[in-house]
Amino acid sequence: MTVSVSRIAVAGGVALSSVVLLSGTAFAHVSVQPQGEAAKGGYATVNIKVPNERDNASTVKLEVNFPLDHPLASVMPQPVPGWKAEVTKSKLTKPLELHGKKINEAVSKVTWTADGSKIGPGQFQQFPLSLGQLPEDTDELVLKAIQTYDNKEVVRWIEEEKEGADEPQNPAPVLKLSAASADHHGGGSGTAPTATATASADAKGGHDDTAADHKETASASSATTDTTARVLGVVGILVGIAGVAFGVLAGRRRSTSA
């Protein structure tokens, strides 16, 4: 019995340590996370999240590459204390059309270099970026990253995931793009939904008017109930005052009779 319990304990310990190790590896990747929505054809703010994987070294440099087959005309890094950002642009074989203008170059790389700060063991750092205009002809952007430590070790997060295959050891950060919104080009969407809602209400035989009538009836009923409660409250107070007065008068009469 003792042997069995020992074996179970050992097996449980091994399983737990394996889970912890695997979890640590899974969450240690360089990744890109949008703040809100990253819709096709629109603009977005994203965070490049960089965890430190080493116990004996600190991250001092990060390079993020942008695909030129789905180019971005605008990539602006937000200042990060203790880090210096450098934006690199490259010529495009096919110019971009943006707001009626032709753009012959796009951002191909952003590099952050430690300038008084580091990402130490057990720490992570986020590097915010403003991106736009996001492409409309793809569902994702693969942002290959290169992480450099102060002991000269370089980790290349450049492996693309393949459908049906296991996750690669050093997967590239991937920004998933959501469906384009109706007003991502600056077009007004307020008029169309209002007209649609009105037509729908008319087709249902004035459903909106009926709803309004119900609201008015409920409001009137509520007001009536509130008024009744107030009246009953006042009546109760008056009855109480009358009772006190009657008691005082009865006491005086008894005193006089005595």
Side-chain angles (χ1 to χ4, degrees), residues 43-142:
Y43 292 79
T45 299
V46 303
N47 283 325
I48 306 297
K49 186 176 180 180
V50 185
N52 192 84
E53 291 188 309
R54 303 295 179 258
D55 295 330
N56 58 351
S58 298
T59 299
V60 293
K61 185 178 179 180
L62 175 71
E63 176 184 310
V64 176
N65 296 274
F66 295 86
L68 291 180
D69 55 343
H70 299 294
L72 299 173
S74 175
V75 177
M76 295 187 295
Q78 180 177 319
V80 177
W83 293 83
K84 180 181 178 181
E86 180 182 358
V87 178
T88 302
K89 294 185 177 181
S90 299
K91 291 287 185 180
L92 296 175
T93 55
K94 182 180 179 181
L96 280 176
E97 289 281 348
L98 185 63
H99 303 305
K101 296 181 180 180
K102 285 188 177 182
I103 299 176
N104 297 313
E105 61 180 14
V107 173
S108 57
K109 180 173 63 176
V110 176
T111 305
W112 289 269
T113 306
D115 185 20
S117 182
K118 296 180 180 182
I119 307 174
Q123 299 178 342
F124 76 94
Q125 177 65 54
Q126 294 191 110
F127 298 93
L129 288 171
S130 175
L131 307 179
Q133 186 173 350
L134 298 175
E136 299 182 66
D137 57 350
T138 183
D139 295 326
E140 63 182 28
L141 289 177
V142 180

Side-chain angles (χ1 to χ4, degrees), residues 22-242:
L22 291 174
S23 298
T25 303
F27 286 101
H29 301 337
V30 173
S31 60
V32 56
Q33 303 169 342
Q35 297 181 19
E37 186 178 21
K40 298 178 182 179
Y43 292 79
T45 299
V46 303
N47 283 325
I48 306 297
K49 186 176 180 180
V50 185
N52 192 84
E53 291 188 309
R54 303 295 179 258
D55 295 330
N56 58 351
S58 298
T59 299
V60 293
K61 185 178 179 180
L62 175 71
E63 176 184 310
V64 176
N65 296 274
F66 295 86
L68 291 180
D69 55 343
H70 299 294
L72 299 173
S74 175
V75 177
M76 295 187 295
Q78 180 177 319
V80 177
W83 293 83
K84 180 181 178 181
E86 180 182 358
V87 178
T88 302
K89 294 185 177 181
S90 299
K91 291 287 185 180
L92 296 175
T93 55
K94 182 180 179 181
L96 280 176
E97 289 281 348
L98 185 63
H99 303 305
K101 296 181 180 180
K102 285 188 177 182
I103 299 176
N104 297 313
E105 61 180 14
V107 173
S108 57
K109 180 173 63 176
V110 176
T111 305
W112 289 269
T113 306
D115 185 20
S117 182
K118 296 180 180 182
I119 307 174
Q123 299 178 342
F124 76 94
Q125 177 65 54
Q126 294 191 110
F127 298 93
L129 288 171
S130 175
L131 307 179
Q133 186 173 350
L134 298 175
E136 299 182 66
D137 57 350
T138 183
D139 295 326
E140 63 182 28
L141 289 177
V142 180
L143 310 180
K144 297 182 179 181
I146 300 176
Q147 183 178 11
T148 303
Y149 289 88
D150 56 7
N151 63 356
K152 307 303 180 182
E153 181 185 1
V154 176
V155 181
R156 302 178 182 277
W157 303 97
I158 61 174
E159 300 177 45
E160 298 187 37
E161 297 187 34
K162 297 181 180 179
E163 187 176 354
D166 294 336
E167 182 184 45
Q169 183 176 356
N170 295 320
V174 177
L175 176 63
K176 299 292 185 179
L177 304 180
S178 59
S181 56
D183 59 346
H184 72 270
H185 288 301
S189 60
T191 304
T194 303
T196 303
T198 302
S200 177
D202 291 342
K204 293 180 180 179
H207 176 74
D208 287 353
D209 293 337
T210 303
D213 292 339
H214 285 317
K215 289 182 179 179
E216 291 177 3
T217 302
S219 177
S221 176
S222 177
T224 303
T225 303
D226 186 57
T227 301
T228 302
R230 291 181 180 179
V231 170
L232 291 176
V234 172
V235 171
I237 292 172
L238 293 176
V239 170
I241 294 174

